[in-house]
Amino acid sequence: MTDEDHHLLAEWAALCADHVLPFFESTCPEDARPRDAIAVGRAWIRGEVRMRDAHQTAFVANAAARGLPDPARFAALAAGQAVAVAHVAAHYLGAAAYAIRAAAAAASEGDAEGARLQELGWQRKRIPAPLRELVLEDQRARNDICWGVFTG
């Protein structure tokens, strides 16, 4: 994987996490940790933050998730995974999976599957074109360990 590919995956992960961030912010409007984590991930992409510092920020975003209802918790975890892409590129898939889980958890019980598919579709439309096949193959290969959220 090239550095450019790594950066494209990090930006896509940030986009996925940012999309569901309102689920967190509506529950914890004064807590900026997940939003800050996404910003740190984007700063890493621009070369403004060291990988080690970005990686440490993932733990901060994950800590924000503790004890929250599922939509807010999964949104914070998506942010943590998004910034962790700086450390390990494969975390991009975790950011996408947690974002899908956040969307499904925020829906009413009868609408959860529709919300999951809608978020999956939203994400797939935004996969960076040069990496589309890689991402889709990775989703197929790792769907089982990502709670089956990439089915569809």
Side-chain angles (χ1 to χ4, degrees), residues 12 23 27 37 43 106 115 144:
W12 184 68
F23 298 131
T27 300
D144 288 347

Side-chain angles (χ1 to χ4, degrees), residues 17-132:
D18 199 37
H19 190 239
V20 297
L21 194 57
F23 298 131
F24 178 85
E25 292 178 333
S26 67
T27 300
C28 303
E30 303 299 318
D31 191 343
R33 292 177 290 178
R35 179 168 294 285
D36 291 347
I38 294 168
V40 167
R42 286 184 166 134
W44 173 80
I45 294 166
R46 294 187 304 270
E48 299 167 0
V49 172
R50 296 179 323 158
M51 179 274 296
R52 183 175 180 83
D53 295 330
H55 183 228
Q56 290 303 311
T57 305
F59 298 110
V60 175
N62 290 342
R66 288 192 194 111
L68 296 179
D70 283 349
R73 180 168 61 96
F74 294 144
L77 293 171
Q81 289 288 298
V83 71
V85 173
H87 178 248
V88 175
H91 283 294
Y92 83 91
L93 208 58
Y98 275 121
I100 292 169
R101 290 188 78 191
S108 63
E109 189 174 321
D111 294 332
E113 179 63 6
R116 181 189 70 78
L117 290 171
Q118 184 175 1
E119 182 64 21
L120 176 62
W122 184 92
Q123 290 180 5
R124 285 185 172 169
K125 287 178 185 172
R126 288 156 180 83
I127 296 170
L131 300 176
R132 183 167 183 75

